[in-house]
Amino acid sequence: MYVQELEPVAGSLGLSALVAALPLVIVLVLLGGVRMKAHLAGLAGLLAAVLVARLAYGMPLGQTLSSGAQGAVFGLFPILWIVVNALWVYRMTVRTRHFDILRRSFGRLSDDPRIQALVIAFCFGALLEALAGFGAPVAISAVMLVALGFDPVRAAVVALVANTAPVAFGAMGTPVVTLAQVTGLPLDSVASVVGRQTPLLALVVPLVLVWLVDGRRGLRETWVPALACGVAFAVAQFAASNYVSAQLADIGAALAGAGALAAVPRARVPAAEAVRASVLTGARSEELEEDPPREVLRAYAPYALIVVIFSAAQIPPVKDRLARTTQTFDWPFLDVAGPDGEPVGGNVFSWPVVSTGGTLVLLAGILTAVVIGVHARVAAREWLATVRELRFAILTVTSVLALAYVMNLSGQAATIGHFVAAAGAGLAFLSPVLGWFGVAVTGSDTSANALFGALQVTAARESGLSPELLAAANSSGGVLGKMISPQNLTIACAAVGLAGREGDLLRKVLPWSLGLLLVMCLIVVGQSSPVLGWMLP
């Protein structure tokens, strides 16, 4: 058995924490400073984590490699299993042109570009985030806005800022699932606290979006539908994450937000010509061709199928039956105990064969192929093409999760956590900043949770704060780093034809990222005290 040490370097917690942080520093410097490709930076960080675990912490090489292998496997299944199948569904709708029909359907909802921004970037972007994440919502939303006539820069900025509130529950809840896995906290507990933080962002983001589209005038004229959209989104996200399922939180929120926009009469009032002239560069929504009602229904069918399948999976008898398919076994060549001598949870691995979100999305994808008329052979080719398209993302996610598991199981994360805990009460304010920083450099709330989740929990326990609160704060703060991450900026620029202008977008979105981060820090500080402590479950 390998027993973790907190002070393996010269018996000093400070020096040990400095050495333990080396893998993270290497990843962050290579990504943010050297601008190395994410998958190469992840592999370099993984190598550093293995060396620190072996040379500084004395973890046997076999157990070190086994820890990394478990992280990589978890990255493949269930995380990437969800992403691949969700993007596969999207690719099939693009191939059959049903995605174009869906875009035109959104364009006909309102002729007001400010409302179009809410429908596409905020609501539909949240739905895409729920299904796939990892940059897809930004790229697709930006392209749709440009197709409706938005200026490319404005479209990219709107898509980036909109991609905040849904991120923590994106890709069928992958970030919070990962957070629960690496921290050992119950998924329901973590999701419940995140669901009492990010909905507060949802109240603000739609108002920010109409400001970005049309300034003070946009806020003055469309604050009612924007607020209605934000409130509906926030309520649905809170209710689903606390009482239904973390996997369905963003799906329900996106549909509720869109429904609120459709229900508010003001959302259907055409924008003044002056607004359109100052905001758009191209087509009006009434110029969009009419599509047969049958084809419109088929365009919405993939998302309806996913909602139905995931909802059915939450019915108690079905949920129990699916849970029985989960395989649990001791992970080979791994026998780790914490500093207290108790075995850690990482010694055991759970494999949810059928009940995982990726398998449910795969089923929805098979039904989608039937509904929209994709031949089985073509569907298979599209699935393989999706895997090829994501090959570097697959390498990035598996390497980062392998790095996280090596750091967690060797004791590196525990050492850093004990050192950071010296911040005491100030840790509540810094906790979201750490998540924000992690997402800013990795481009993924999932990766940031894998890197810092265990650290946040350890620090919370040492400082007497709620582990669930700081773990959730890592994810909730992280969502605000998404809009400034180099990967997302590059994706947005590539989508709207602004290659090389990432710096321009960064300057436009950075103030919003920092401002909303400050709000989240104050929320977490309040929730750690009697001021807002009543909000926690």
Side-chain angles (χ1 to χ4, degrees):
M1 175 179 286
Y2 167 72
V3 180
Q4 297 174 349
E5 288 186 64
L6 293 177
E7 303 174 353
V9 181
S12 167
L13 183 61
L15 288 176
S16 299
L18 189 63
V19 172
L22 281 176
L24 294 178
V25 172
I26 288 172
V27 172
L28 300 181
V29 169
L30 291 179
L31 278 175
V34 181
R35 297 186 181 277
M36 180 180 287
K37 292 184 182 299
H39 64 281
L40 296 178
L43 291 172
L46 173 59
L47 176 60
V50 169
L51 292 175
V52 170
R54 181 71 190 97
L55 300 178
Y57 281 76
M59 189 179 196
L61 182 61
Q63 296 213 49
T64 303
L65 296 178
S66 181
S67 301
Q70 184 180 158
V73 169
F74 181 70
L76 290 171
F77 193 99
I79 293 176
L80 287 165
W81 181 235
I82 297 172
V83 176
V84 167
N85 289 324
L87 286 179
W88 172 56
V89 173
Y90 162 70
R91 285 181 64 100
M92 287 193 293
T93 63
V94 171
R95 184 181 183 91
T96 59
R97 300 190 180 279
H98 284 93
F99 182 76
D100 291 334
I101 296 173
L102 190 67
R103 175 183 58 79
R104 289 193 289 269
S105 175
F106 287 157
R108 282 188 289 270
L109 178 64
S110 173
D111 195 41
D112 189 329
R114 299 162 299 192
I115 302 303
Q116 290 174 345
L118 293 176
V119 173
I120 294 173
F122 188 69
C123 297
F124 186 60
L127 185 60
L128 292 173
E129 184 68 39
L131 302 181
F134 294 91
V138 170
I140 296 169
S141 297
V143 168
M144 291 178 70
L145 290 175
V146 171
L148 287 173
F150 273 66
D151 170 76
V153 173
R154 200 187 306 264
V157 170
V158 168
L160 285 166
V161 175
N163 190 222
T164 50
V167 168
F169 296 103
M172 296 302 174
T174 297
V176 291
V177 169
T178 303
L179 186 60
Q181 179 79 12
V182 300
T183 60
L185 298 173
L187 173 60
D188 291 344
S189 299
V190 173
S192 178
V193 179
V194 175
R196 295 162 192 248
Q197 294 172 343
T198 56
L200 298 176
L201 291 177
L203 297 174
V204 178
V205 172
L207 298 172
V208 173
L209 294 179
V210 296
W211 175 280
L212 287 172
V213 173
D214 194 32
R216 185 179 290 107
R217 176 179 58 186
L219 190 59
R220 184 178 65 250
E221 295 181 357
T222 56
W223 69 269
V224 172
L227 188 60
C229 176
V231 169
F233 187 103
V235 170
Q237 191 182 63
F238 162 76
S241 60
N242 278 268
Y243 306 113
V244 183
S245 165
Q247 287 87 347
L248 290 175
D250 279 349
I251 294 177
L255 296 176
L261 283 173
V264 175
R266 184 135 192 184
R268 295 181 177 275
V269 177
E273 288 301 323
V275 176
R276 298 191 59 81
S278 64
V279 173
L280 304 186
T281 60
R284 301 172 59 92
S285 63
E286 60 261 30
E287 296 170 356
L288 300 172
E289 62 183 86
E290 290 291 332
D291 297 299
R294 180 171 178 270
E295 293 304 312
V296 174
L297 289 175
R298 293 174 74 190
Y300 280 92
Y303 310 102
L305 285 168
I306 289 175
V307 172
V308 169
I309 290 173
F310 271 82
S311 299
Q314 299 306 314
I315 299 173
V318 178
K319 188 175 183 179
D320 292 342
R321 182 67 179 269
L322 292 175
R324 287 198 291 271
T325 66
T326 299
Q327 304 293 319
T328 301
F329 54 89
D330 293 332
W331 188 258
F333 310 110
L334 198 61
D335 189 9
V336 179
D340 57 1
E342 293 295 321
V344 300
N347 294 330
V348 178
F349 187 79
S350 295
W351 188 32
V353 185
V354 179
S355 60
T356 186
T359 303
L360 298 179
V361 175
L362 176 65
L363 175 59
I366 294 171
L367 295 176
T368 293
V370 175
V371 171
I372 65 177
V374 179
H375 191 278
R377 191 165 50 249
V378 175
R381 281 202 301 266
E382 288 294 332
W383 193 91
L384 293 174
T386 303
V387 174
R388 176 176 173 77
E389 178 185 337
L390 292 174
R391 61 190 183 280
F392 292 120
I394 291 172
L395 189 55
T396 299
V397 172
T398 52
S399 62
V400 168
L401 278 158
L403 159 67
Y405 270 60
V406 170
M407 290 190 66
N408 291 342
L409 291 172
S410 66
Q412 295 173 56
T415 297
I416 299 172
H418 279 76
F419 182 74
V420 173
L427 186 60
F429 185 87
L430 295 175
S431 186
V433 177
L434 190 60
W436 173 85
F437 187 65
V439 175
V441 296
T442 66
S444 165
D445 200 37
T446 298
S447 297
N449 285 344
L451 287 172
F452 299 133
L455 183 156
Q456 297 266 23
V457 168
T458 302
R461 287 172 175 156
E462 288 298 308
S463 59
L465 295 173
S466 164
E468 290 82 4
L469 174 62
L470 293 201
N474 190 83
S475 192
S476 299
V479 305
L480 300 170
K482 191 92 168 179
M483 69 179 82
I484 64 167
S485 70
Q487 295 91 320
N488 254 24
L489 291 170
T490 301
I491 288 170
C493 284
V496 298
L498 296 175
R501 294 185 59 184
E502 288 85 356
D504 294 340
L505 292 187
L506 177 61
R507 285 190 290 274
K508 290 181 179 296
V509 299
L510 182 59
W512 295 106
S513 179
L514 293 174
L516 292 172
L517 174 64
L518 176 60
V519 172
M520 181 55 65
C521 290
L522 294 176
I523 290 171
V524 175
V525 169
Q527 291 179 334
S528 70
S529 70
V531 178
L532 296 178
W534 54 269
M535 293 180 62
L536 300 181

